[in-house]
Amino acid sequence: MLLSESSPQKQIDCKKENSMNDKIMIHGAREHNLKNIDLEIPRDKLIVFTGLSGSGKSSLAFDTIYADGQRRYMESLSSYARQFLGQMDKPDVDYIEGLSPAVSIDQKSTSNNPRSTVGTVTEIYDYLRLFFARVGVPHCPKCGREIARQSIDQVVDKVKLLPLRSRILIVAPVIRAKKGEHVKLLEQIRKDGYVRVKIDGTVYDINDVPKLDKKLKHSIDVVIDRLVIKEGIDSRLTDSLETAFALGDGLAKVDILPNRDAAEENIPAEKKAANGGIIVEDGVEELLFSQNFACHECGISIEEMSPRMFSFNSPFGACPDCTGLGYQEKIDPLLVVPDDSLSLNKGAIAAMGWNSANGIASMYLKALAEEYGFSPDTPWRELPEEIRKVILYGTGGKKIHVEYERDYGGGFFETAFEGVIPTLERRYHETQSDSMKEAYEAFMSKITCPTCGGKRLKPEVLAVTIGNKSIADVCGMSITDVLAFIDGLVLSESEKIIASRIYKELKARLRFLVNVGLEYLTLSRSASGLSGGEAQRIKLASELSKRSTGRTVYILDEPTTGLHFADVHKLTEILRRLTEEGNTVIVIEHNLDVIKTADYIIDIGPEGGDRGGTVVAYGTPEEVAKNSRSYTGKYLDAILKKNKDEIKRKKSPKYMQKMTTNF
């Protein structure tokens, strides 16, 4: 039978549905030590789960409510998507009703990735990259001058300074380190009449380009012209460079090829590749010219500024020597020689193979002793500094006389000594064995990258400034100082127009971090080094920065951990804001300042472990305070009474008269 919208049955069903939407109903929760809990949790409220340690708070919040929400989400995906995500077990609960998408904000580290920082996990660094790309002022990393765009005449003059009869390729970079087969681009290059391309360092005839691996990154340059530096090439050189700049979006490259005995106008194959291409990478000096930015005094050009240029996770911005990590792992001399009271013969060198009385290493050490006139029985600390350097870092190409003995007789050979540390580093990079790598890593330490000084970026990127600060300088400030720096920037009218939205978003996200009590952190702080409480509040700030759609269940694990009591009030205001936007906030908490402000409290216990797992009390703070079975209620009752007494005192005529008199 069909029911009309006005029918009594329809009205009853609507009321039932609305009632379910206002509550999360849990039936038969038995995860871990939970004892078949039945519970109704009001929605769109600030809910506090409290109780003794081990009572079952996390089992109910994370292992039951959040786990079931995640499982339902996974089941809503297509079968194709689920095959990559795996199967999620259903928590030990009969059923849960009224559960909407849930977000877990626990105290686990935000990331163990060494490349993750406070700036990257909060996405503030993404906005900073965009900010610097839009309004940053580039400077020469060598002389510090503000760099400007290069004219075609300046580029021609620079190329003509090359030695006469230098052989060059003028190329236009069209693809830089991008994955794909690039079939359409190559076809368009052919249609445009170009006959050669350089792909990943190899020059091909446009009709003989092999199929590119779509899973790998490729760089493609169009060969515009091949020239020999001589008198009378100005016109041809100018035309070729103009073509290269036009095709390369303001960038052009000049490859200076190694000298060869060749006809003046004919550049022969440098090295034949197996697929028929010509390898020109070896021995080639590359000059990059830009119609965008260049220092004419130092001859340095940089590409048009873009956000990727400021990313230490991208090859376009990362320091080449540390690949954007800010540090290098190197063999540490102090670990190689941990006890300098020992001699070489007594095992001063702790690295494998070097502390043996027999073997190849001992032959080299004996030869060094003969060549440089020292005794292997002398304690390491008493050896001259120059001798220790030779042992650790090699003879610098100087050959030494090495004698050896075999069962069938002896002999000798002369060779340069590589050095203990270079040998260990070479073997570390050459070995394919994980166990051997671990063995070598025992002698390694992290050192600040000498090239970038730990700032992770290329020198030319660090030379781009806003308000005399590089992006690394800004990230090294505390959140409070970054906010003050941004507020104090004096931008031109055009810069304000360009960066207005970025500027607004930056300030908003920084203020979220301040609001959760993290104003002391720096954006460059490694995410793996955050405490549990800091990591959780980072996640909370990130969630707050998103546009809320409401109806989300947020679950937090003791967010007040590590917070000064003065910041607890700020945190509760933020949690309140989430509930006002139509979200449900469930907080596992022991802090009474948070508990007393909750809309609803669920006290789990009465003890921990096997003696826990039941709901001891539930309701408003006032209702829980009246429950004699609740440990939390006893303390809550005292603090609520104290607050009431304080309110009464402030409302008394005597107090009001005193305040009026003082005023």
Side-chain angles (χ1 to χ4, degrees):
M1 168 177 154
L2 296 176
L3 299 175
S4 67
E5 290 196 7
S6 59
S7 68
Q9 185 61 51
K10 183 70 173 180
Q11 293 175 4
I12 292 170
D13 291 341
C14 288
K15 288 180 181 179
K16 184 178 179 181
E17 184 179 346
N18 291 333
S19 176
M20 290 177 62
N21 289 336
D22 292 337
K23 297 177 182 177
I24 299 173
M25 292 182 284
I26 304 168
H27 299 270
R30 295 176 297 273
E31 196 68 34
H32 300 307
N33 68 332
L34 299 180
K35 295 180 173 58
N36 207 37
I37 286 179
D38 293 338
L39 190 63
E40 291 185 359
I41 302 173
R43 290 190 61 90
D44 308 339
K45 304 291 184 183
L46 175 58
I47 315 296
V48 170
F49 286 8
T50 189
L52 298 180
S53 296
S55 61
K57 304 182 299 294
S58 296
S59 297
L60 181 59
F62 291 101
D63 299 330
T64 302
I65 298 174
Y66 176 68
D68 198 62
Q70 285 296 95
R71 181 187 63 83
R72 293 185 187 190
Y73 170 72
M74 299 278 275
E75 290 180 350
S76 70
L77 301 176
S78 66
S79 57
Y80 177 78
R82 291 201 303 273
Q83 70 177 325
F84 299 103
L85 298 173
Q87 185 86 18
M88 289 194 70
D89 295 330
K90 184 180 184 298
D92 193 1
V93 61
D94 291 340
Y95 64 92
I96 301 178
E97 296 178 355
L99 187 60
S100 58
V103 175
S104 167
I105 306 178
D106 55 25
Q107 293 194 10
K108 296 177 182 177
S109 174
T110 53
S111 176
N112 291 319
N113 189 333
R115 297 182 178 277
S116 294
T117 65
V118 171
T120 59
V121 297
T122 58
E123 299 179 357
I124 291 174
Y125 192 74
D126 293 333
Y127 286 96
L128 272 178
R129 291 195 294 120
L130 192 57
F131 193 44
F132 271 79
R134 295 290 182 266
V135 300
V137 180
H139 296 80
C140 176
K142 286 187 177 181
C143 66
R145 292 186 179 91
E146 185 175 331
I147 61 178
R149 301 174 187 271
Q150 290 175 300
S151 68
I152 188 69
D153 291 336
Q154 290 171 326
V155 177
V156 169
D157 291 341
K158 180 73 174 179
V159 176
K160 286 174 63 182
L161 291 175
L162 294 172
L164 289 175
R165 301 187 67 81
S166 295
R167 299 177 303 117
I168 63 174
L169 293 180
I170 298 175
V171 300
V174 292
I175 292 290
R176 299 188 68 190
K178 288 185 178 180
K179 291 182 179 179
E181 298 179 339
H182 306 293
V183 176
K184 292 183 178 179
L185 174 66
L186 292 169
E187 178 62 22
Q188 187 61 50
I189 292 171
R190 188 188 64 79
K191 288 181 179 179
D192 290 342
Y194 299 102
V195 296
R196 293 181 180 86
V197 290
K198 187 173 76 167
I199 303 176
D200 303 330
T202 301
V203 176
Y204 300 93
D205 186 285
I206 192 63
N207 296 313
D208 298 328
V209 175
K211 185 177 180 181
L212 303 182
D213 191 336
K214 65 180 180 181
K215 296 180 180 179
L216 299 179
K217 292 181 178 180
H218 303 284
S219 295
I220 301 176
D221 301 336
V222 178
V223 179
I224 305 299
D225 202 355
R226 302 182 298 173
L227 292 171
V228 176
I229 300 298
K230 61 182 182 179
E231 296 294 331
I233 64 166
D234 295 50
S235 178
R236 181 174 172 180
L237 179 59
T238 301
D239 291 343
S240 298
L241 285 170
E242 285 181 342
T243 302
F245 279 127
L247 194 61
D249 291 330
L251 291 178
K253 291 194 297 184
V254 174
D255 291 342
I256 307 170
L257 303 178
N259 290 326
R260 296 283 189 274
D261 294 325
E264 192 172 83
E265 292 294 337
N266 181 40
I267 300 177
E270 301 301 318
K271 186 189 294 183
K272 289 288 185 180
N275 51 20
I278 303 170
I279 301 173
V280 299
E281 195 70 22
D282 296 339
V284 172
E285 182 183 353
E286 183 182 275
L287 300 178
L288 175 66
F289 297 101
S290 172
Q291 287 188 315
N292 302 316
F293 300 103
C295 176
H296 311 304
E297 297 293 329
C298 302
I300 293 176
S301 301
I302 66 171
E303 63 181 279
E304 184 75 24
M305 290 191 299
S306 64
R308 70 179 183 179
M309 177 179 170
F310 297 90
S311 172
F312 46 76
N313 293 321
S314 166
F316 298 100
C319 169
D321 291 334
C322 66
T323 64
L325 290 172
Y327 62 85
Q328 298 176 6
E329 287 190 315
K330 295 285 188 180
I331 299 294
D332 190 338
L334 296 178
L335 297 177
V336 173
V337 187
D339 187 353
D340 63 359
S341 68
L342 299 177
S343 66
L344 292 175
N345 282 342
K346 293 292 185 181
I349 300 176
M352 65 201 86
W354 291 95
N355 52 7
S356 174
N358 300 306
I360 296 175
S362 65
M363 295 184 337
Y364 280 104
L365 294 177
K366 289 177 183 178
L368 288 171
E370 289 289 333
E371 179 69 30
Y372 291 93
F374 67 90
S375 172
D377 292 314
T378 303
W380 179 264
R381 67 175 63 155
E382 296 179 14
L383 290 174
E385 179 66 24
E386 58 269 21
I387 298 298
R388 285 184 280 175
K389 283 184 177 180
V390 167
I391 296 170
L392 292 178
Y393 297 103
T395 58
K398 178 183 176 181
K399 293 184 178 181
I400 59 175
H401 182 83
V402 183
E403 296 182 354
Y404 64 89
E405 294 181 2
R406 296 288 186 269
D407 294 338
Y408 53 82
F412 71 91
F413 59 90
E414 291 188 352
T415 183
F417 178 61
E418 185 179 18
V420 175
I421 287 177
T423 300
L424 292 173
E425 289 179 339
R426 173 175 57 78
R427 290 175 178 173
Y428 172 76
H429 292 294
E430 289 177 353
T431 184
Q432 301 298 315
S433 169
D434 291 338
S435 60
M436 289 303 297
K437 280 191 175 293
E438 289 181 8
Y440 291 124
E441 286 170 355
F443 299 96
M444 296 177 123
S445 293
K446 291 180 180 178
I447 63 168
T448 300
C449 177
T451 303
C452 65
K455 295 182 178 180
R456 301 177 176 235
L457 297 166
K458 292 178 178 178
E460 56 266 36
V461 178
L462 294 172
V464 179
T465 64
I466 296 177
N468 296 321
K469 300 286 186 184
S470 70
I471 192 169
D473 294 333
V474 175
C475 289
M477 301 176 178
S478 69
I479 302 298
T480 302
D481 290 341
V482 175
L483 265 173
F485 168 74
I486 291 175
D487 283 333
L489 285 176
V490 179
L491 303 177
S492 66
E493 290 303 316
S494 61
E495 289 174 335
K496 288 178 182 178
I497 295 171
I498 294 170
S500 59
R501 294 182 65 181
I502 308 170
Y503 185 84
K504 183 180 179 182
E505 190 68 32
L506 261 177
K507 291 186 65 174
R509 289 175 179 261
L510 289 165
R511 287 198 178 103
F512 283 132
L513 288 176
V514 172
N515 291 339
V516 296
L518 297 175
E519 68 280 353
Y520 58 89
L521 290 180
T522 63
L523 294 174
S524 59
R525 172 82 171 269
S526 174
S528 60
L530 296 170
S531 70
E534 288 171 336
Q536 185 174 210
R537 278 177 275 141
I538 286 280
K539 294 176 184 177
L540 180 59
S542 299
E543 285 296 326
L544 289 169
S545 65
K546 300 175 182 177
R547 293 186 181 274
S548 177
T549 56
R551 306 301 292 174
T552 301
V553 178
Y554 291 94
I555 304 175
L556 292 83
D557 186 13
E558 298 190 61
T560 59
T561 301
L563 260 185
H564 190 273
F565 64 86
D567 293 318
V568 172
H569 179 65
K570 289 183 185 177
L571 179 64
T572 55
E573 286 184 341
I574 291 170
L575 299 179
R576 280 288 176 199
R577 191 188 310 169
L578 285 172
T579 62
E580 290 169 0
E581 293 175 352
N583 303 295
T584 303
V585 180
I586 297 175
V587 181
I588 297 174
E589 191 58 77
H590 296 105
N591 189 303
L592 285 173
D593 288 328
V594 177
I595 295 173
K596 72 179 183 181
T597 61
D599 297 311
Y600 203 81
I601 300 172
I602 297 171
D603 188 7
I604 301 175
E607 307 288 344
D610 292 338
R611 298 185 62 187
T614 63
V615 177
V616 177
Y618 59 89
T620 64
E622 290 76 17
E623 290 171 340
V624 172
K626 295 176 182 178
N627 193 315
S628 59
R629 295 179 60 238
S630 171
Y631 290 131
T632 302
K634 295 176 183 178
Y635 293 100
L636 193 57
D637 185 51
I639 197 169
L640 290 177
K641 285 181 179 178
K642 183 179 178 182
N643 289 346
K644 286 181 180 179
D645 292 341
E646 183 68 16
I647 292 171
K648 287 181 180 179
R649 186 180 69 84
K650 290 182 177 181
K651 288 183 177 181
S652 65
K654 188 175 181 180
Y655 179 83
M656 295 298 293
Q657 184 180 2
K658 181 181 178 182
M659 293 299 294
T660 303
T661 303
N662 291 340
F663 180 77

